[in-house]
């Protein structure tokens, strides 16, 4: 995280308690949690190495005349890679991602992420978001399978979901209709915090108001056992008082809420992360994939940095990136007369020229001297 910024809609001291730091900088007397509790809305700002790869890939695309420079980075981005203009539909592009042919695909570059995208086989932003979220859910102690496997089973045969509701929880058709309203779109699995909020706010379940539903969401998001126990007690108490059957309450808690108690994403989080992945898919699929591969190798080797400080090479990441490149024959052996500090594409010969920075035992100073 680069920073967490708290936003107020009114004067600072209406919400918070101000003081001055020793250097005179105005700051708060309160912790982050106390500031949020008193009405501040916290935004997290992240910086990720994938953004370096995307920026470098854009530079390579401009340099090799696959896209046109529009006068500024922002305008060039807006013209080709803004979320409003990218491709979300091409099946071959999704298959390329599913078959792990796009190296360092954001959030799916780990073994767990790779398994998730291979199992779920997403074909839309929403399905990719589900994969992004559901791979983080944790099965309870009494569960017989992981949430992602349950989702895949339901996705492949939706009748399995209905069997769970009818046979395991003995839900009536009216109660099944309540679950359908919130879960049918995601194949019967509550994968995100908002789905939990919506189902507990239904007038035929616990009839929570927004404040109560958000309290439950926060207990999930913050992974606080005490808050979760309080939320569970209120969920059952209000549900039973509302005339909701214990069967339906058990189904919602055990199948929708419990898998999220270890870790869960919100919808804005999921869509933001997943959109970055689709942008990368566009870069890798609609242009020579060698440019996306080179951009990532440059970032992983640290050769895109200002190397005054001899920044360390991430040899493990370079090795992983090369391992994930489908056609390894187009990665050259080190070429002393052609190599540069970082990796570089040779599109004419469909090869990646190994960079000096990526070589074990060759320090930055020697690499620069050779160049």
């Amino acid at each position: 995280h680069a920073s967490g910024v708290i936003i107020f809609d009114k004067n600072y001291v209406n919400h918070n308690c101000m003081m001055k730091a020793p250097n005179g900088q105005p700051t708060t007397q309160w912790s982050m949690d106390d500031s949020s509790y008193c009405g501040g809305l916290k935004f997290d700002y992240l910086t990720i190495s994938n953004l370096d790869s995307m920026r470098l890939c854009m530079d390579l695309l401009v340099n090799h005349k696959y896209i046109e420079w529009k006068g500024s980075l922002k305008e060039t981005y807006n013209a080709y890679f803004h979320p409003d203009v990218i491709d979300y539909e091409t099946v071959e592009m999704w298959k390329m991602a599913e078959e792990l042919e796009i190296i360092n695909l954001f959030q799916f570059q780990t073994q767990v992420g790779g398994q998730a995208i291979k199992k779920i086989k997403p074909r839309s932003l929403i399905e990719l978001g589900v994969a992004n979220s559901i791979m983080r859910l944790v099965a309870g102690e009494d569960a017989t399978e992981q949430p992602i496997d349950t989702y895949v089973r339901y996705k492949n045969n939706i009748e399995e979901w209905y069997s769970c509701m009818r046979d395991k929880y003995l839900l009536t058709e009216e109660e099944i209709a309540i679950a359908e309203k919130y879960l049918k779109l995601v194949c019967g699995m509550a994968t995100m915090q908002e789905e939990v909020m919506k189902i507990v706010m239904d007038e035929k379940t616990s009839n929570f108001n927004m404040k109560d539903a958000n309290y439950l969401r926060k207990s999930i998001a913050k992974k606080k056992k005490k808050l979760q126990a309080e939320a569970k007690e209120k969920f059952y108490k209000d549900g039973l008082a509302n005339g909701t059957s214990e069967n339906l309450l058990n189904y919602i808690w055990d199948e929708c809420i419990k898998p999220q108690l270890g870790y869960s994403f919100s919808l804005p989080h999921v869509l933001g992360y997943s959109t970055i992945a689709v942008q990368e898919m566009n870069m890798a699929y609609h242009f020579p994939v060698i440019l996306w591969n080179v951009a990532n190798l440059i970032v992983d080797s640290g050769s895109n940095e200002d190397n005054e400080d001899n920044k360390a090479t991430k040899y493990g990441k370079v090795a992983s990136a090369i391992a994930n490149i489908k056609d390894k024959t187009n990665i050259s052996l080190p070429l002393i007369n052609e190599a540069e500090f970082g990796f570089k594409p040779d599109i004419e010969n469909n090869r990646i020229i190994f960079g000096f920075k990526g070589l074990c035992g060759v320090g930055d100073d020697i690499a620069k001297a050779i160049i």
Side-chain angles (χ1 to χ4, degrees):
H1 285 76
S3 63
V5 176
I6 294 188
I7 312 281
F8 301 105
D9 63 350
K10 294 178 182 170
N11 188 281
Y12 184 104
V13 291
N14 288 4
H15 289 266
N16 213 305
C17 202
M18 185 185 282
M19 67 178 183
K20 284 190 176 180
N23 65 358
Q25 174 72 34
T27 185
T28 173
Q29 296 180 32
W30 292 348
S31 69
M32 178 185 75
D33 287 341
D34 288 344
S35 298
S36 295
Y37 182 80
C38 288
L41 178 65
K42 184 170 75 74
F43 278 80
D44 286 341
Y45 290 85
L46 289 81
T47 179
I48 53 174
S49 62
N50 290 66
L51 295 182
D52 288 336
S53 299
M54 292 169 73
R55 167 64 198 271
L56 268 171
C57 189
M58 283 181 63
D59 289 344
L60 291 169
L61 289 167
V62 170
N63 292 341
H64 291 275
K65 303 191 184 318
Y66 286 99
I67 64 175
E68 181 183 340
W69 181 252
K70 299 295 183 181
S72 72
L73 178 63
K74 182 176 182 179
E75 291 306 315
T76 308
Y77 168 85
N78 286 345
Y80 297 101
F81 299 112
H82 190 283
D84 289 347
V85 303
I86 55 176
D87 171 21
Y88 296 91
E89 306 294 333
T90 302
V91 173
E92 288 75 17
M93 180 181 73
W94 288 103
K95 284 183 178 177
M96 190 178 179
E98 171 200 325
E99 291 165 9
L100 310 182
E101 293 176 14
I102 303 174
I103 63 172
N104 288 349
L105 186 64
F106 185 52
Q107 295 293 299
F108 295 99
Q109 63 269 66
T110 64
Q111 187 175 3
V112 171
Q115 289 176 349
I117 203 167
K118 288 183 83 166
K119 285 181 178 180
I120 291 176
K121 305 182 189 307
R123 294 292 182 267
S124 68
L125 180 65
I126 292 296
E127 287 187 357
L128 187 68
V130 168
N132 219 325
S133 182
I134 205 166
M135 68 183 179
R136 302 163 204 282
L137 303 189
V138 180
E141 293 177 3
D142 53 346
T144 57
E145 63 183 354
Q146 291 296 321
I148 189 170
D149 295 317
T150 305
Y151 174 83
V152 171
R153 187 161 55 83
Y154 289 173
K155 184 183 179 188
N156 292 337
N157 181 9
I158 197 66
E159 287 305 316
E160 297 262 354
W161 176 43
Y162 287 101
S163 295
C164 173
M165 291 189 287
R166 291 189 181 110
D167 301 338
K168 184 176 179 181
Y169 291 94
L170 306 177
L171 300 190
T172 66
E173 293 306 309
E174 183 182 2
E175 290 170 335
I176 288 172
I178 295 169
E180 284 180 323
K181 194 191 315 183
Y182 304 105
L183 302 176
K184 193 168 185 179
L185 183 66
V186 284
C187 302
M189 289 286 292
T191 59
M192 303 171 206
Q193 296 167 10
E194 286 79 3
E195 289 150 2
V196 166
M197 290 180 69
K198 287 177 183 176
I199 201 166
V200 300
M201 289 172 68
D202 191 285
E203 61 183 11
K204 294 181 179 177
T205 63
S206 290
N207 199 26
F208 273 16
N209 58 30
M210 180 64 78
K211 180 182 176 182
D212 293 334
N214 191 52
Y215 182 80
L216 171 59
R217 182 201 65 77
K218 266 200 161 178
S219 78
I220 293 171
K222 300 300 181 186
K223 301 183 281 291
K224 294 184 176 178
K225 299 290 186 186
K226 182 173 180 290
L227 293 180
Q228 290 172 358
E230 291 171 357
K232 181 179 182 180
E233 182 181 351
K234 180 171 177 55
F235 168 73
Y236 274 93
K237 181 181 176 183
D238 288 13
L240 293 172
N242 195 38
T244 306
S245 76
E246 195 166 343
N247 287 348
L248 180 56
L249 294 174
N250 287 339
Y251 169 77
I252 293 170
W253 187 266
D254 292 344
E255 300 293 331
C256 303
I257 299 174
K258 191 184 284 185
Q260 295 198 24
L261 294 180
Y263 193 71
S264 172
F265 268 1
S266 64
L267 181 61
H269 205 153
V270 162
L271 289 180
Y273 276 14
S274 301
T275 301
I276 292 171
V278 178
Q279 288 172 316
E280 294 174 344
M281 288 162 57
N282 273 254
M283 289 181 170
Y285 176 77
H286 287 288
F287 305 97
V289 70
I290 195 172
L291 297 178
W292 173 250
N293 292 343
V294 166
N296 280 274
L297 288 170
I298 290 171
V299 171
D300 290 343
S301 67
S303 51
N304 62 315
E305 304 286 345
D306 181 356
N307 286 283
E308 296 288 328
D309 299 325
N310 288 345
K311 188 178 177 71
T313 302
K314 307 180 189 82
Y315 294 110
K317 290 197 74 176
V318 173
S320 296
I322 290 174
N324 289 328
I325 293 173
K326 188 175 184 181
D327 183 6
K328 295 173 186 58
T329 61
N330 68 1
I331 302 173
S332 74
L333 293 172
L335 300 168
I336 196 164
N337 291 326
E338 296 184 52
E340 295 178 356
F341 191 74
F343 293 83
K344 73 174 184 180
D346 178 2
I347 295 176
E348 186 178 338
N349 296 303
N350 190 35
R351 63 177 179 166
I352 297 171
I353 298 175
F354 216 99
F356 288 119
K357 175 68 174 169
L359 297 176
C360 284
V362 179
D364 289 9
D365 294 337
I366 295 174
K368 289 173 182 174
I370 293 170
I371 293 167

